[in-house]
Amino acid sequence: MSRHTCAIHPSILSADFLRLGEELQAIKTADAVHVDVMDQHFVPNLTFGPPVVKRIQDESPLPLDIHLMIEDPDRWAPEYADMGAYSVTFHAEAATAPIRLARELRARGSKASMALRPATGLDSYMDMLPELDMLLLMTVEPGFGGQAFLDVVVPKIRAARKAIDGSGAQVALQVDGGVTTETIRIAAEAGADTFVAGSSVYGAEDVAVAIENLRREARDAIGH
Ligand code: DX5
Ligand code: ZN
């Protein structure tokens, strides 16, 4: 089975927002920083928008993996690509024209990524895999850090892995929500290769050690 090398993306949702600069430096051994943008409409929480993300883009030692939990991403997502973000993820449930939007993101120089909430089915989206660089499967209901991993999503991770391998397209498979040193093994075995972790990284006594532990468990579960 073809598999990307595993990547750890700490989520700054669990960082201390008053010390964002230091909190970004603390995760520099990770592969990218996961930036959760929430609009209090698509999800019942509000974080930050373009001015703050722009500053994170300027200062971050790592590439930005921006997760937009917002309504009307067709309108708002392209400006995040314009900031130079490595990857921009919009939600399938919120997008009016996901194929057009994915193409727009790529045209503006970022990776195009689409997220599915835990109860959103894969089937209607599998034909558009070649339009995507990453598929994000939420393993909690989006909105808050610190929730428990939803095992119910595991069959969907397996199905997505199969579809990606079958498509021949290079699409990373990301999981987000409740990722710990235990649940990362479950997700990795099911076929995920990119792992977001908020509270299990920033809640740890040593952030760098937490990243290394997650990486080790994921690699071990994948078998390389
Ligand atoms: C939740 C966000 C996640 C969040 C994950 O809606 O999309 O990125 O930070 O936090 P943990 O790892 O604590 O579940
Ligand atoms: Zn997220």
Side-chain angles (χ1 to χ4, degrees):
M1 186 186 288
S2 74
R3 192 65 61 80
H4 306 257
T5 51
C6 81
I8 308 294
H9 294 191
S11 164
I12 53 157
L13 185 62
S14 295
D16 178 354
F17 287 171
L18 207 52
R19 299 170 40 250
L20 257 189
E22 290 158 59
E23 297 281 68
L24 286 167
Q25 290 300 327
I27 58 165
K28 62 172 182 256
T29 54
D31 298 284
V33 53
H34 184 83
V35 179
D36 288 303
V37 175
M38 304 185 185
D39 69 351
Q40 216 159 46
H41 292 273
F42 183 71
V43 288
N45 196 4
L46 182 66
T47 54
F48 36 66
V52 174
V53 177
K54 177 83 181 57
R55 287 294 296 135
I56 296 170
Q57 172 68 33
D58 291 344
E59 301 297 329
S60 172
L62 293 174
L64 265 58
D65 156 25
I66 301 181
H67 178 193
L68 299 175
M69 286 160 277
I70 61 171
E71 283 184 359
D72 204 1
D74 304 69
R75 178 172 177 192
W76 303 114
E79 73 176 291
Y80 291 92
D82 288 343
M83 288 176 200
Y86 173 74
S87 169
V88 177
T89 302
F90 61 87
H91 266 266
E93 304 86 354
T96 302
I99 296 169
R100 186 176 65 203
L101 180 53
R103 289 182 180 179
E104 182 72 28
L105 293 171
R106 281 179 166 176
R108 293 179 187 231
S110 94
K111 303 281 186 197
S113 168
M114 190 175 73
L116 303 181
R117 299 181 73 123
T120 301
L122 277 178
D123 291 358
S124 36
Y125 300 105
M126 288 304 89
D127 287 343
M128 67 174 284
L129 281 175
E131 306 286 343
L132 299 174
D133 300 294
M134 185 166 80
L135 178 67
L136 164 51
L137 300 182
M138 291 303 301
T139 41
V140 297
E141 289 294 350
F144 301 94
Q147 304 179 77
F149 182 88
L150 291 171
D151 289 301
V152 72
V153 180
V154 172
K156 187 162 65 173
I157 302 172
R158 285 189 207 289
R161 169 48 59 199
K162 222 173 139 194
I164 289 168
D165 287 349
S167 75
Q170 288 291 313
V171 186
L173 183 55
Q174 185 176 66
V175 287
D176 180 10
V179 172
T180 64
T181 46
E182 282 94 52
T183 59
I184 199 168
R185 298 188 64 95
I186 300 168
E189 276 162 13
D193 53 34
T194 307
F195 306 90
V196 176
S199 49
S200 69
V201 168
Y202 280 109
E205 209 162 298
D206 187 324
V207 168
V209 170
I211 291 166
E212 226 18 73
N213 288 342
L214 287 167
R215 194 177 269 138
R216 192 192 56 244
E217 294 300 331
R219 280 194 183 142
D220 184 62
I222 293 169
H224 64 76

